[in-house]
Coordinates of all heavy atoms in Angstrom, one line a residue:
Chain B
F35 N 134.5 106.2 144.3 CA 135.8 106.6 144.8 C 136.4 107.8 144.0 O 137.0 108.6 144.5 CB 136.7 105.4 144.8 CG 136.4 104.4 145.8 CD1 135.7 103.2 145.5 CD2 136.6 104.7 147.1 CE1 135.3 102.3 146.4 CE2 136.2 103.7 148.1 CZ 135.5 102.5 147.8
T36 N 136.1 107.8 142.6 CA 136.7 108.8 141.9 C 136.0 110.2 142.1 O 136.8 111.2 142.4 CB 136.4 108.7 140.3 OG1 136.6 107.2 140.0 CG2 137.1 109.5 139.4
E37 N 134.8 110.2 142.3 CA 134.1 111.5 142.8 C 134.5 111.9 144.1 O 134.8 113.0 144.4 CB 132.5 111.3 142.9 CG 131.9 111.0 141.6 CD 131.9 112.3 140.6 OE1 132.0 113.5 141.3 OE2 132.0 112.2 139.4
A38 N 134.7 111.0 145.1 CA 135.2 111.3 146.5 C 136.7 112.0 146.3 O 136.9 112.8 147.2 CB 135.2 110.2 147.3
L39 N 137.5 111.5 145.4 CA 138.9 112.1 145.4 C 139.1 113.0 144.3 O 140.1 113.4 144.0 CB 139.8 110.8 145.1 CG 139.9 109.9 146.3 CD1 140.7 108.6 146.0 CD2 140.7 110.6 147.4
R40 N 137.9 113.6 143.7 CA 137.9 114.5 142.7 C 138.9 115.7 142.9 O 139.7 116.1 142.1 CB 136.6 115.1 142.4 CG 136.5 116.0 141.1 CD 135.0 116.1 140.7 NE 134.4 114.9 140.1 CZ 134.4 114.8 138.8 NH1 134.8 115.8 138.0 NH2 133.9 113.8 138.2
R41 N 138.9 116.2 144.1 CA 139.8 117.3 144.5 C 140.9 116.8 145.4 O 141.4 117.6 146.2 CB 139.0 118.5 145.2 CG 138.0 118.9 144.2 CD 137.8 120.5 144.4 NE 136.3 120.7 143.8 CZ 135.2 120.7 144.5 NH1 135.2 120.5 145.8 NH2 134.1 121.0 143.9
G42 N 141.2 115.6 145.4 CA 142.4 115.0 146.2 C 141.9 114.6 147.5 O 140.8 114.6 147.9
W43 N 143.0 114.3 148.2 CA 142.7 113.7 149.6 C 142.3 114.7 150.6 O 141.4 114.5 151.5 CB 143.9 113.0 150.1 CG 144.2 111.8 149.5 CD1 145.1 111.6 148.3 CD2 143.7 110.4 149.8 NE1 145.0 110.3 147.9 CE2 144.3 109.5 148.8 CE3 142.9 110.0 150.7 CZ2 144.0 108.2 148.9 CZ3 142.6 108.5 150.7 CH2 143.1 107.7 149.8
P44 N 142.9 115.9 150.7 CA 142.5 116.8 151.8 C 141.0 117.1 151.9 O 140.4 117.1 153.0 CB 143.4 118.1 151.5 CG 144.4 117.6 150.6 CD 143.9 116.5 149.9
P45 N 140.3 117.6 150.8 CA 138.8 117.9 150.9 C 138.1 116.6 151.5 O 137.2 116.7 152.2 CB 138.5 118.2 149.5 CG 139.7 118.6 148.9 CD 140.8 117.7 149.3
M46 N 138.5 115.4 151.0 CA 137.8 114.3 151.4 C 138.0 114.0 152.9 O 137.1 113.8 153.6 CB 138.3 113.1 150.5 CG 137.6 111.8 150.9 SD 138.2 110.4 150.0 CE 138.8 109.5 151.2
W47 N 139.3 114.2 153.3 CA 139.5 114.0 154.7 C 138.7 114.9 155.6 O 138.2 114.6 156.6 CB 141.1 114.1 154.9 CG 141.6 113.6 156.2 CD1 142.1 114.3 157.2 CD2 141.3 112.3 156.7 NE1 142.2 113.5 158.2 CE2 141.8 112.3 158.0 CE3 140.8 111.1 156.0 CZ2 141.8 111.1 158.8 CZ3 140.8 110.0 156.9 CH2 141.2 110.0 158.1
Q48 N 138.8 116.2 155.0 CA 138.0 117.2 155.8 C 136.6 116.9 155.9 O 136.0 117.1 156.9 CB 138.1 118.5 154.9 CG 138.0 119.8 155.8 CD 138.2 121.0 155.0 OE1 138.7 120.9 153.8 NE2 137.9 122.2 155.5
A49 N 135.9 116.4 154.9 CA 134.5 116.1 154.9 C 134.3 114.9 155.9 O 133.2 114.9 156.6 CB 134.0 115.6 153.5
L50 N 135.2 114.0 155.9 CA 135.1 112.8 156.9 C 135.3 113.2 158.4 O 134.7 112.6 159.3 CB 135.9 111.7 156.6 CG 135.6 111.0 155.2 CD1 136.6 109.8 154.9 CD2 134.2 110.3 155.3
S51 N 136.1 114.3 158.7 CA 136.4 114.6 160.0 C 135.5 115.8 160.5 O 135.8 116.3 161.5 CB 137.8 114.9 160.2 OG 138.3 115.8 159.1
D52 N 134.6 116.3 159.6 CA 133.6 117.2 160.0 C 132.8 116.8 161.2 O 132.4 115.5 161.3 CB 132.7 117.5 158.7 CG 131.5 118.4 159.1 OD1 131.8 119.5 159.1 OD2 130.4 117.9 159.3
P53 N 132.6 117.6 162.2 CA 131.8 117.2 163.3 C 130.4 116.4 163.0 O 130.2 115.4 163.7 CB 131.5 118.4 164.1 CG 132.5 119.5 163.7 CD 132.9 119.0 162.2
D54 N 129.7 116.9 162.1 CA 128.5 116.3 161.7 C 128.7 114.9 161.2 O 128.0 113.9 161.4 CB 127.7 117.1 160.8 CG 127.0 118.3 161.3 OD1 126.9 118.2 162.6 OD2 126.7 119.3 160.7
A55 N 129.7 114.7 160.3 CA 130.1 113.4 159.8 C 130.5 112.5 160.9 O 130.0 111.3 161.0 CB 131.3 113.5 158.8
L56 N 131.3 113.0 161.8 CA 131.8 112.2 162.9 C 130.6 111.6 163.8 O 130.4 110.6 164.2 CB 132.8 112.8 163.7 CG 134.2 113.0 163.1 CD1 135.1 113.8 164.0 CD2 134.8 111.7 162.7
A57 N 129.6 112.6 164.0 CA 128.5 112.3 164.8 C 127.6 111.3 164.0 O 127.1 110.3 164.6 CB 127.6 113.4 165.0
A58 N 127.5 111.3 162.6 CA 126.8 110.3 161.9 C 127.4 108.9 162.0 O 126.8 107.9 162.2 CB 126.7 110.8 160.4
I59 N 128.9 109.0 161.9 CA 129.6 107.6 162.1 C 129.4 107.0 163.5 O 129.0 105.9 163.5 CB 131.0 107.9 161.8 CG1 131.3 108.4 160.3 CG2 131.8 106.6 162.2 CD1 132.8 108.8 160.1
R60 N 129.4 107.9 164.5 CA 129.2 107.4 165.8 C 127.8 106.7 166.0 O 127.6 105.7 166.5 CB 129.4 108.5 166.8 CG 130.6 108.5 167.5 CD 130.7 109.3 168.8 NE 130.2 110.7 168.6 CZ 131.1 111.6 168.2 NH1 132.4 111.4 168.0 NH2 130.6 112.9 168.0
L61 N 126.7 107.5 165.4 CA 125.4 107.0 165.5 C 125.1 105.7 164.8 O 124.5 104.8 165.2 CB 124.4 108.1 165.1 CG 123.0 107.9 165.1 CD1 122.6 107.6 166.6 CD2 122.1 109.0 164.6
T62 N 125.7 105.6 163.6 CA 125.6 104.4 162.8 C 126.2 103.3 163.6 O 125.5 102.2 163.7 CB 126.3 104.6 161.5 OG1 125.6 105.5 160.7 CG2 126.3 103.4 160.7
L63 N 127.3 103.4 164.2 CA 127.9 102.4 165.0 C 127.0 102.0 166.2 O 126.9 100.8 166.4 CB 129.3 102.8 165.5 CG 130.4 103.0 164.4 CD1 131.7 103.4 164.9 CD2 130.7 101.7 163.7
L64 N 126.5 103.0 166.8 CA 125.7 102.8 168.0 C 124.5 102.0 167.7 O 124.1 100.9 168.3 CB 125.3 104.1 168.6 CG 124.2 104.0 169.8 CD1 124.8 103.5 171.0 CD2 123.5 105.4 170.1
V65 N 123.8 102.4 166.5 CA 122.5 101.7 166.1 C 122.8 100.2 165.7 O 122.1 99.3 166.2 CB 121.9 102.4 164.9 CG1 120.8 101.6 164.4 CG2 121.3 103.7 165.3
A66 N 123.9 100.0 165.1 CA 124.3 98.6 164.7 C 124.6 97.9 165.9 O 124.4 96.7 166.0 CB 125.4 98.6 163.7
A67 N 125.4 98.5 166.8 CA 125.7 97.8 168.0 C 124.6 97.4 168.9 O 124.7 96.4 169.7 CB 126.5 98.7 168.9
I68 N 123.4 98.0 168.8 CA 122.2 97.5 169.5 C 121.5 96.5 168.6 O 121.0 95.5 169.1 CB 121.3 98.7 169.9 CG1 122.1 99.6 170.7 CG2 120.1 98.2 170.5 CD1 121.3 101.0 170.9
A69 N 121.2 96.9 167.3 CA 120.3 96.1 166.4 C 121.0 94.7 166.2 O 120.2 93.7 166.2 CB 119.9 96.8 165.2
V70 N 122.2 94.6 166.0 CA 122.8 93.3 165.4 C 122.7 92.3 166.6 O 122.3 91.1 166.3 CB 124.3 93.5 164.9 CG1 124.9 92.3 164.6 CG2 124.2 94.5 163.7
P71 N 123.2 92.5 167.8 CA 123.0 91.6 168.9 C 121.6 91.1 169.2 O 121.5 89.9 169.2 CB 123.6 92.2 170.1 CG 124.6 93.3 169.6 CD 123.9 93.7 168.4
V72 N 120.7 92.1 169.2 CA 119.4 91.6 169.3 C 118.8 90.6 168.3 O 118.3 89.5 168.6 CB 118.3 92.9 169.4 CG1 116.9 92.4 169.4 CG2 118.6 93.8 170.5
N73 N 119.1 91.0 167.1 CA 118.7 90.1 166.0 C 119.5 88.7 165.9 O 119.0 87.8 165.3 CB 118.6 90.8 164.6 CG 117.4 91.6 164.5 OD1 116.4 91.3 165.2 ND2 117.3 92.6 163.5
T74 N 120.7 88.9 166.4 CA 121.4 87.6 166.4 C 120.9 86.6 167.6 O 120.6 85.4 167.3 CB 123.0 87.9 166.8 OG1 123.5 88.8 165.9 CG2 123.8 86.6 166.9
L75 N 120.5 87.1 168.7 CA 120.0 86.3 169.7 C 118.6 85.8 169.2 O 118.4 84.6 169.4 CB 119.8 87.1 171.0 CG 121.2 87.4 171.7 CD1 120.9 88.2 173.1 CD2 121.9 86.0 172.1
G76 N 117.8 86.7 168.7 CA 116.5 86.2 168.2 C 116.6 85.2 167.1 O 115.9 84.2 167.1
G77 N 117.6 85.4 166.2 CA 117.8 84.6 165.1 C 118.3 83.1 165.6 O 117.8 82.1 165.1
L78 N 119.1 83.2 166.6 CA 119.6 82.0 167.2 C 118.4 81.2 167.7 O 118.2 79.9 167.5 CB 120.6 82.2 168.2 CG 122.1 82.2 167.8 CD1 123.0 82.7 168.9 CD2 122.5 80.8 167.4
A79 N 117.6 81.8 168.4 CA 116.5 81.2 169.1 C 115.5 80.7 168.1 O 115.0 79.5 168.2 CB 115.7 82.1 170.1
G80 N 115.2 81.5 167.1 CA 114.2 81.1 166.0 C 114.8 79.9 165.2 O 114.2 78.9 164.9
A81 N 116.1 79.9 164.8 CA 116.7 78.9 164.2 C 116.8 77.5 165.0 O 116.5 76.5 164.5 CB 118.1 79.1 163.7
W82 N 117.0 77.7 166.2 CA 117.0 76.6 167.2 C 115.6 75.9 167.2 O 115.5 74.6 167.0 CB 117.4 77.0 168.6 CG 117.3 75.9 169.6 CD1 116.4 75.6 170.4 CD2 118.4 74.8 169.9 NE1 116.7 74.4 171.3 CE2 118.0 74.0 170.9 CE3 119.7 74.7 169.2 CZ2 118.7 72.9 171.4 CZ3 120.5 73.6 169.8 CH2 119.9 72.7 170.8
C83 N 114.5 76.6 167.4 CA 113.3 75.9 167.6 C 112.8 75.3 166.3 O 112.1 74.3 166.1 CB 112.2 76.7 168.3 SG 111.7 78.1 167.5
I84 N 113.2 76.1 165.2 CA 112.7 75.6 163.8 C 113.4 74.4 163.3 O 112.8 73.5 162.8 CB 112.7 76.7 162.8 CG1 111.6 77.8 163.0 CG2 112.6 76.3 161.3 CD1 111.8 79.1 162.2
A85 N 114.7 74.4 163.6 CA 115.5 73.3 163.0 C 115.6 72.1 163.9 O 116.0 71.0 163.5 CB 116.9 73.8 162.7
R86 N 115.3 72.3 165.3 CA 115.5 71.2 166.2 C 114.3 70.4 166.6 O 114.3 69.4 167.1 CB 116.3 71.6 167.4 CG 117.8 72.0 167.2 CD 118.6 70.8 166.9 NE 120.0 71.0 166.6 CZ 120.6 71.2 165.4 NH1 119.8 71.1 164.3 NH2 121.8 71.4 165.3
Y87 N 113.1 71.1 166.4 CA 111.9 70.4 166.8 C 110.9 70.4 165.7 O 110.9 71.3 164.7 CB 111.3 71.2 168.0 CG 112.3 71.5 169.2 CD1 113.0 72.6 169.2 CD2 112.5 70.4 170.1 CE1 113.9 72.8 170.3 CE2 113.3 70.6 171.2 CZ 114.1 71.8 171.3 OH 114.9 71.9 172.2
R88 N 109.9 69.6 165.8 CA 108.8 69.6 164.8 C 107.5 69.9 165.5 O 107.3 69.4 166.6 CB 108.6 68.2 164.2 CG 109.7 67.8 163.2 CD 109.3 66.7 162.3 NE 110.6 66.5 161.5 CZ 110.8 67.1 160.5 NH1 110.0 68.0 160.1 NH2 111.9 66.9 159.9
F89 N 106.8 71.0 165.1 CA 105.7 71.4 165.7 C 104.8 72.0 164.7 O 105.2 72.4 163.6 CB 105.9 72.4 166.9 CG 106.8 73.4 166.6 CD1 106.1 74.7 166.1 CD2 108.1 73.4 166.5 CE1 106.9 75.9 165.8 CE2 108.9 74.5 166.1 CZ 108.3 75.8 165.8
P90 N 103.4 72.0 164.9 CA 102.5 72.7 163.8 C 102.9 74.2 163.7 O 103.1 74.8 164.8 CB 101.1 72.4 164.4 CG 101.3 72.0 165.9 CD 102.7 71.4 166.0

Side-chain angles (χ1 to χ4, degrees):
Chain B
F35 290 106
T36 315
E37 291 289 332
L39 290 170
R40 186 166 282 267
R41 299 211 200 96
W43 289 92
M46 184 177 111
W47 194 243
Q48 208 179 347
L50 288 178
S51 48
D52 174 81
D54 286 341
L56 288 177
I59 294 172
R60 262 199 303 275
L61 184 58
T62 294
L63 293 175
L64 173 72
V65 169
I68 302 171
V70 175
V72 170
N73 277 340
T74 302
L75 288 179
L78 270 169
W82 176 265
C83 64
I84 286 172
R86 288 293 182 261
Y87 307 94
R88 289 193 182 281
F89 53 94

